Amino acid sequence: MNNNHAKRPKAAMGGRMAGMMAGDKAKDFKGTFKQFVRYMGVYKYSVMIVMLFAICSTIFMIVGPKILGKATTVLAEGIMGMYAGSKDGIDFGAIGEILLFLLGIYVVSSFFSLIQGLIMTNISVKISFRLRRDISEKLNRLPLSYFDKTTNGEVLSRVTNDIDTLSQSLNQSLTQIITSVTQLVGILIMMLTISWQMTLIAVGILPVSLLFVAFIVKKSQKQFTAQQKYLGQVNGHVEEMYGGHQVMKAFNGEEKSVRKFDELNEKLYGSAWKSQFFAGVMMPMMMFVTNLGYVAVCIMGGFFASSGAITIGDIQAFIQYVRQFTQPITQVANITNILQQTAAAAERVFEFLDEEEEIPESENAIKVNTDDKADTELNVHISGSVQFAHIHFGYDPKKTVIEDFSADIAPGSKIAIVGPTGAGKTTIIKLLLRFYDVQEGAVLVDGYDIRDFRRKDLRSLFGMVLQDTWLYSGTIRDNIRYGKRDATEEEIIRAAKAAQVDNFVRTLPNGYDMILNEETSNISQGQKQLLTIARAILADPKILILDEATSSVDTRTEIMIQKAMDNLMEGRTSFVIAHRLSTIKNADRILVLDNGNIVEQGSHDELMAKGGYYEKLYNSQFEVV
C-alpha cells in the first residue's frame, strides 16, 4: 500500500464539536423577515411583476366609484330637470356610455388581478418546494448530535406545519399588502379631489385605528410564537407515542402518555385561543371606529350637497371611498396578525436551516479506489486495517466518555468489544463511522485519518447489522437490495441463502415480493434481523460491524446465523459488540472496555487465564442465583 498521503498523529481536535449546544436565540421578527426576503431574491423579477399588476388592478378598481358617481350625477340632474321642466328627462345614452366604460375598467382590473394571482401562486409553491428541498438536504448534513436533542415530531412540524404556514401567508398576504397600500394611497387622492374637508374627517379615524392595531399586535405576537412552539411539541409527542405504541402499552404507559399529551395540548389550546381571540377582536373594534367616521362624513356630505358645493354623484362616490378607505386599514390589521404567525413559522424554519452542520469535507478528500487502477495519493485501495490513536471523546465536550483509547487492528481480524453498559462500546463504533468526530487523537483506516475521506466513501467500507433492526415499507427484495442498489436477482438470492433468509421468505405470501408494512410488523423480530444480515452480506464490505446481531433470534437460528457470520467475516475486519460473551470465544482479540478505556485485551483463553475483569464478567453470566 502506497501511503503517500500525510497521516495525522495524535493531535488536539477540540474545536470540531464546539457550538452544538448553543442556547435558544432571541426572537427577531424583523431579522426573520429580512432573511425571508433574501430567500425570495431569486424570484425578485416575478415579485416585481406581481407588484406592478397588483397596483394596476387596484388603480383601475379605485377609479370605478368616481366614474359611477358621474352616472349618478347625470341621473340626478335628469330627474331634477324633469321636475323643474327645464330638461326632456334622463339621458340614458350618456349613462349607458359611462356604464360601458366602467365595465371595461373593471374587466381590465380583473385581468390584472388574475394574472398577478397566478404568478404569486406559482412563486409561493416554488418557495415551499425549495424550503422542503433545503430542509431535506439539511437533514443529511446535520450531525447525529442534533437528532440526539431534537424529537422527530419537532423536525416534522417544521417541514409540514411551518412551511405550509409560510406558503399560505405568502400566497395571500403579499399581494394583499400591496393592494391595501395602493388602495389607501389611491383612495386618499380620489377623496381629496372631491372634498378636502370631508377627507380630513375620514383621515382623522386613521390614528385611532392604528392605535388599536398596535395594541392588538403587541398582545398577539407572543401568542402566535407560543402556538407554533407548542404545536411542534404536540406533534413530537404524538409521533413518538404512535411509533412506540407497543412498548407504551406493554408497560401500561397509556395514562402517563395521555397525561403528558393533555399537558402539552392544554398549553397549545391556551396560546391558540388567545392568538385567535386577538385576531378575531380586531375586526369588530375596527368596524366600530370606522362607522363613527362614516356617520360624520355622511352628515357633512349632506350639508355640502344642500349648499351646492359638490354634486350628488360626488357624495355617492365619496361615501364609497370612505367605505373602501377603511377596508385596506382593516386588511392591513388582519394581515399583521397573519404576519406574526408567519414570522414565528419562518423563524423556526430558518433556525433549522441555520443549524450547525457536519464538518465540511475537504475538496481534496481521499476517494476509495474500487477499480483495479494503481493507488494514488487521493485514490486508494483499502485492505481493512484500523487504528485508534489516543482518542478522546465526549458527547458533551466538558464530559469525557472515552479517554486516551488506542488500539491497532490488523486487516481481516475479528475484534470483539465487550464491557458493561455505558462502557463506550457503541460510542467506539459511532466514532469509527464518523457519526461523531473525536476531540483529540485520530481514528485511521489503513493509516489514513477517516476525516480525510469523504463520508460517503468512508461509510461505503462498512457493513452494519445492528441490534435494532431497520427496515422500510417495501418489498423484501428491495429491503435486501438496499445494501447494494445495483444488485442482480442472483446476487440477492445468494445473499439471502447465506443469511438463512431464502427458506423462510419462500414460505411467505408473494415471497420476495411481499410488502413489509410501515412498522414491519407482518414478520417476526428474528426474521427482521435475518433480512438485515442478508443486506450486509450483499453489500460485501471491507469492514463489518455487528452489534449483538443475533440477539433477536432463537438458539437454533442463532447457530445457523453464527455459521453464516463466520463465513461472512472470513477475510474481513470485523467488530463485534457482544453482551453474551459465549458468542465471541473465537474472536482474534477481545477488547474489554470500562469507563471508556481498554482495561484488558487478548483472546478468550488468554483473558480467562489472567483471571481479571473479563473472567469475572464472563463467569457472571453463568452464575446460578
Side-chain angles (χ1 to χ4, degrees):
M1 179 67 66
N2 181 16
N3 291 349
N4 294 326
H5 188 80
K7 304 177 185 179
R8 297 185 183 179
K10 176 182 176 182
M13 304 300 296
R16 290 180 176 267
M17 292 293 291
M20 290 308 301
M21 300 300 291
D24 294 333
K25 298 179 181 179
K27 302 302 178 183
D28 180 11
F29 290 94
K30 184 177 180 181
T32 300
F33 275 114
K34 285 183 178 179
Q35 191 172 4
F36 192 40
V37 169
R38 287 195 298 269
Y39 194 85
M40 291 174 57
V42 66
Y43 306 109
K44 58 184 177 182
Y45 295 114
S46 298
V47 172
M48 289 171 64
I49 293 173
V50 168
M51 294 174 66
L52 179 62
F53 276 40
I55 291 171
C56 291
S57 173
T58 306
I59 290 174
F60 279 106
M61 189 66 68
I62 288 172
V63 299
K66 183 75 172 178
I67 296 172
L68 185 60
K70 292 181 179 179
T72 303
T73 300
V74 172
L75 180 63
E77 289 176 350
I79 293 173
M80 292 174 64
M82 289 173 61
Y83 280 108
S86 58
K87 289 190 177 182
D88 295 335
I90 301 172
D91 189 352
F92 287 106
I95 293 175
E97 291 177 1
I98 294 172
L99 293 179
L100 283 174
F101 182 65
L102 181 64
L103 178 62
I105 291 288
Y106 285 148
V107 169
V108 173
S109 175
S110 299
F111 171 77
F112 281 121
S113 179
L114 175 64
I115 297 301
Q116 65 89 13
L118 291 174
I119 296 175
M120 196 66 239
T121 299
N122 186 48
I123 292 173
S124 64
V125 170
K126 285 183 176 179
I127 288 178
S128 298
F129 174 82
R130 279 186 62 206
L131 284 170
R132 286 193 174 93
R133 182 197 62 196
D134 290 348
I135 286 181
S136 176
E137 293 174 353
K138 180 75 175 184
L139 285 170
N140 295 325
R141 298 194 300 268
L142 287 172
L144 200 64
S145 57
Y146 175 82
F147 299 99
D148 289 341
K149 63 183 181 181
T150 309
T151 65
N152 295 339
E154 179 70 14
V155 175
L156 193 63
S157 179
R158 299 180 192 233
V159 179
T160 54
N161 298 330
D162 293 329
I163 291 182
D164 285 343
T165 298
L166 283 176
S167 178
Q168 294 173 11
S169 176
L170 183 64
N171 191 26
Q172 299 172 8
S173 301
L174 181 61
T175 54
Q176 202 167 27
I177 290 174
I178 297 168
T179 55
S180 296
V181 173
T182 306
Q183 266 188 306
L184 202 60
V185 175
I187 290 172
L188 182 61
I189 294 172
M190 297 303 292
M191 289 194 300
L192 285 171
T193 62
I194 296 174
S195 171
W196 65 267
Q197 296 95 332
M198 290 194 297
T199 302
L200 286 177
I201 295 176
V203 173
I205 66 173
L206 188 58
V208 181
S209 301
L210 291 177
L211 286 175
F212 280 116
V213 171
F215 174 78
I216 293 175
V217 166
K218 184 177 180 182
K219 294 291 185 181
S220 63
Q221 188 179 50
K222 296 178 181 178
Q223 302 305 327
F224 277 116
T225 302
Q227 181 182 353
Q228 293 299 121
K229 172 185 174 183
Y230 292 132
L231 183 60
Q233 292 181 359
V234 168
N235 285 339
H237 177 70
V238 171
E239 193 274 339
E240 287 180 351
M241 290 301 102
Y242 180 76
H245 70 279
Q246 290 182 340
V247 176
M248 182 262 292
K249 285 182 175 294
F251 288 91
N252 296 319
E254 294 96 329
E255 185 177 343
K256 181 179 179 181
S257 174
V258 171
R259 187 165 59 247
K260 184 176 180 181
F261 174 81
D262 288 341
E263 179 183 339
L264 294 173
N265 197 36
E266 188 69 28
K267 292 179 180 178
L268 175 61
Y269 167 77
S271 59
W273 86 258
K274 288 177 184 177
S275 61
Q276 296 306 316
F277 170 78
F278 285 119
V281 79
M282 184 173 291
M283 181 67 74
M285 294 177 68
M286 292 294 296
M287 289 299 295
F288 174 75
V289 175
T290 54
N291 282 336
L292 292 178
Y294 180 71
V295 171
V297 166
C298 289
I299 293 173
M300 181 168 284
F303 173 75
F304 285 151
S306 64
S307 62
I310 59 176
T311 64
I312 294 176
D314 283 341
I315 295 176
Q316 177 259 326
F318 196 92
I319 291 174
Q320 280 188 276
Y321 283 133
V322 171
R323 275 296 187 193
Q324 293 181 10
F325 184 66
T326 57
Q327 182 180 353
I329 299 175
T330 306
Q331 287 176 345
V332 170
N334 287 331
I335 292 170
T336 305
N337 273 326
I338 295 174
L339 292 181
Q340 298 304 319
Q341 189 173 6
T342 304
E347 192 168 45
R348 283 164 52 81
V349 170
F350 288 123
E351 279 179 356
F352 180 80
L353 292 176
D354 290 338
E355 285 286 344
E356 186 174 345
E357 299 179 359
E358 289 182 318
I359 300 168
E361 296 172 337
S362 170
E363 294 182 0
N364 296 321
I366 303 173
K367 297 180 181 179
V368 175
N369 191 348
T370 56
D371 301 322
D372 294 330
K373 300 176 182 177
D375 287 348
T376 64
E377 183 177 354
L378 296 178
N379 198 345
V380 298
H381 284 90
I382 298 298
S383 61
S385 68
V386 177
Q387 299 85 36
F388 297 94
H390 302 284
I391 63 173
H392 295 252
F393 173 76
Y395 294 101
D396 182 349
K398 297 179 181 179
K399 186 178 180 181
T400 302
V401 176
I402 295 176
E403 186 172 354
D404 199 22
F405 178 92
S406 295
D408 194 350
I409 313 300
S413 301
K414 178 180 178 181
I415 306 300
I417 304 176
V418 302
T421 300
K425 302 185 296 296
T426 303
T427 300
I428 293 294
I429 300 304
K430 289 180 179 178
L431 294 176
L432 188 60
L433 287 164
R434 208 186 167 197
F435 289 155
Y436 293 88
D437 280 323
V438 297
Q439 274 95 38
E440 293 183 28
V443 181
L444 305 103
V445 173
D446 278 22
Y448 297 97
D449 193 318
I450 62 173
R451 289 166 295 196
D452 291 334
F453 287 92
R454 294 186 304 175
R455 290 182 177 85
K456 180 180 179 181
D457 280 354
L458 173 68
R459 291 166 188 167
S460 70
L461 299 172
F462 294 88
M464 295 182 65
V465 180
L466 303 179
Q467 186 174 5
D468 296 326
T469 58
W470 180 84
L471 300 170
Y472 62 90
S473 180
T475 66
I476 289 178
R477 176 183 289 101
D478 289 340
N479 273 278
I480 297 176
R481 184 181 275 128
Y482 196 83
K484 183 181 178 183
R485 300 300 180 86
D486 58 350
T488 63
E489 184 71 16
E490 290 75 17
E491 290 175 321
I492 293 173
I493 299 297
R494 193 182 309 123
K497 288 180 177 179
Q500 312 298 315
V501 165
D502 185 68
N503 289 334
F504 89 78
V505 168
R506 295 189 184 278
T507 65
L508 298 173
N510 301 320
Y512 285 91
D513 292 318
M514 175 180 168
I515 301 292
L516 301 181
N517 59 27
E518 187 174 356
E519 296 180 349
T520 62
S521 58
N522 50 346
I523 59 175
S524 71
Q525 184 64 33
Q527 290 170 338
K528 292 180 191 179
Q529 192 68 278
L530 291 171
L531 288 177
T532 62
I533 293 171
R535 186 167 61 195
I537 293 174
L538 182 64
D540 193 21
K542 291 288 184 182
I543 305 172
L544 281 172
I545 296 174
L546 309 174
D547 186 353
E548 199 61 49
T550 60
S551 63
S552 299
V553 298
D554 56 60
T555 304
R556 178 175 176 274
T557 305
E558 180 181 354
I559 295 172
M560 293 188 296
I561 293 300
Q562 199 64 54
K563 183 178 180 180
M565 282 296 178
D566 290 339
N567 294 332
L568 173 64
M569 289 186 286
E570 186 175 353
R572 293 184 175 87
T573 308
S574 305
F575 291 88
V576 182
I577 298 177
H579 297 287
R580 286 184 290 179
L581 304 185
S582 59
T583 63
I584 45 93
K585 288 183 178 180
N586 62 343
D588 297 320
R589 195 193 323 176
I590 299 172
L591 303 180
V592 185
L593 299 186
D594 188 30
N595 295 322
N597 296 309
I598 299 178
V599 294
E600 289 180 348
Q601 59 178 306
S603 67
H604 173 76
D605 292 337
E606 291 171 349
L607 294 175
M608 291 298 291
K610 284 183 180 180
Y613 190 89
Y614 176 81
E615 189 262 348
K616 293 179 181 178
L617 197 65
Y618 182 84
N619 290 332
S620 68
Q621 296 189 0
F622 301 95
E623 289 180 357
V624 179
V625 180

